[in-house]
Amino acid sequence: FGLVATLMPPFLYLTLSAQEQQQDTTNEGWPYLYSVLSKLMPYAVQVAVLATNIIVVNNLRDRHTDVLSNKRTLAVRLGPTFCRLEYLANILIAYGLLLWEAFLVDTQITASKMIPLLSFPLAFKEWK
């Protein structure tokens, strides 16, 4: 999960398609590849932090049995308060990037861009 998992497929697709078209990927193709990946970065971060939250919730739930089996997860090492704050920070990053993209980067606001905000109350409810 994370940035590697979310950015590797477009990177491989663009690199391999450039090679199939026999374009030079050594110097000329990199600026285009960089521009595409930099546009995808906010979306990749959103997916990465939400995927991290799945692991945070799982570790928080299993922390009592992890102590008994000598697992050294963050929930065991830093405690449940840290996990709850990490979960909240990840939620705020994901939805903050959504709002940043909608209002500051692409000023044309559409309903389809705002649909993910409908899930914010559910995500925030799970924080407590």
Side-chain angles (χ1 to χ4, degrees), residues 1-10 40 43-45 47-48:
F1 67 96
L3 293 177
V4 173
T6 53
L7 289 176
M8 191 56 72
L40 294 176
Y43 306 110
V45 170
V47 171

Side-chain angles (χ1 to χ4, degrees), residues 96-109:
L97 283 172
L98 173 70
L99 294 173
W100 174 74
E101 180 71 25
F103 292 108
L104 299 177
V105 175
D106 187 12
T107 57
Q108 183 180 0
I109 300 170

Side-chain angles (χ1 to χ4, degrees), residues 40-82:
L40 294 176
M41 183 63 76
Y43 306 110
V45 170
Q46 289 173 346
V47 171
V49 296
L50 292 175
T52 301
N53 268 353
I54 293 171
I55 295 171
V56 168
V57 169
N58 185 45
N59 285 341
L60 185 61
R61 181 196 67 197
D62 294 341
R63 71 184 184 280
H64 300 295
T65 57
D66 288 348
V67 169
L68 298 175
S69 62
N70 291 326
K71 290 184 182 177
R72 306 274 298 159
T73 64
L74 286 177
V76 171
R77 291 180 182 193
L78 302 175
T81 303
F82 172 81

Side-chain angles (χ1 to χ4, degrees), residues 6-60:
T6 53
L7 289 176
M8 191 56 72
F11 172 79
L12 291 174
Y13 174 76
L14 292 171
T15 304
L16 294 175
S17 64
Q19 288 176 356
E20 286 177 2
Q21 296 173 5
Q22 298 174 348
Q23 294 176 355
D24 182 21
T25 58
T26 55
N27 293 324
E28 296 174 6
W30 290 114
Y32 171 71
L33 183 63
Y34 176 76
S35 70
V36 170
L37 292 179
S38 65
K39 290 177 184 173
L40 294 176
M41 183 63 76
Y43 306 110
V45 170
Q46 289 173 346
V47 171
V49 296
L50 292 175
T52 301
N53 268 353
I54 293 171
I55 295 171
V56 168
V57 169
N58 185 45
N59 285 341
L60 185 61

